[in-house]
Amino acid sequence: MTTWTNDELTRISTADELQMAPARGDGTLRAPVPIWVVRDGDDLYIRSYRGDDGVWWRTAHTSHEGHIRSGGVDKDVTLVEEADSTVNDRIDTAYRTKYGRYGGAYVDPMVAARSTTLKLVPR
């Protein structure tokens, strides 16, 4: 299994947004959408602001593959669902810490969208 380098982790986790292009069933990529990304240890996570109604998330949830661009990093990724409540608690905190300056109107939906948590695994 491929892992992130320390440089990639830092560059992606310190960027404000990530461009996510999930793969369709035929392998082609949807148009990239800007989303928030957070780091927990040596892992990177994303969630859908619109919960499971997010179009990009529904595609990603089906294919479990996509392509990301952020902080100068350009990578194909596998998207792994994260259901562990302890990990999700830390991700909630990471969203509040990193994006708290945007206020509850934006951060609260991200924290509430725990069921859409996906870990980004580089390929």
Side-chain angles (χ1 to χ4, degrees):
M1 178 179 275
T2 305
T3 59
W4 298 106
T5 67
N6 286 332
D7 181 57
E8 290 169 331
L9 284 167
T10 299
R11 290 167 68 189
I12 295 169
S13 67
T14 57
D16 211 36
E17 293 181 331
L18 174 142
Q19 294 289 318
M20 174 70 218
R24 296 181 181 100
D26 65 4
T28 61
L29 297 175
R30 289 186 53 89
V33 295
I35 58 174
W36 287 353
V37 58
V38 295
R39 179 178 179 175
D40 179 49
D42 290 337
D43 296 314
L44 297 167
Y45 294 92
I46 57 175
R47 288 181 177 166
S48 171
Y49 177 81
R50 290 186 169 78
D52 56 14
D53 288 333
V55 175
W56 76 263
W57 184 85
R58 288 194 314 260
T59 302
H61 183 250
T62 301
S63 71
H64 296 283
E65 293 185 355
H67 187 87
I68 60 113
R69 272 180 298 209
S70 183
V73 178
D74 202 329
K75 286 266 191 195
D76 289 326
V77 293
T78 299
L79 305 164
V80 179
E81 294 175 50
E82 181 58 71
D84 183 288
S85 62
T86 303
V87 172
N88 270 290
D89 289 345
R90 292 193 309 263
I91 294 167
D92 291 348
T93 300
Y95 272 108
R96 286 185 183 109
T97 301
K98 182 174 180 181
Y99 297 107
R101 68 188 182 279
Y102 293 107
Y106 295 100
V107 176
D108 291 348
M110 296 304 288
V111 171
R114 288 171 70 122
S115 66
T116 68
T117 305
L118 297 171
K119 179 166 75 171
L120 302 175
V121 179
R123 289 191 275 141

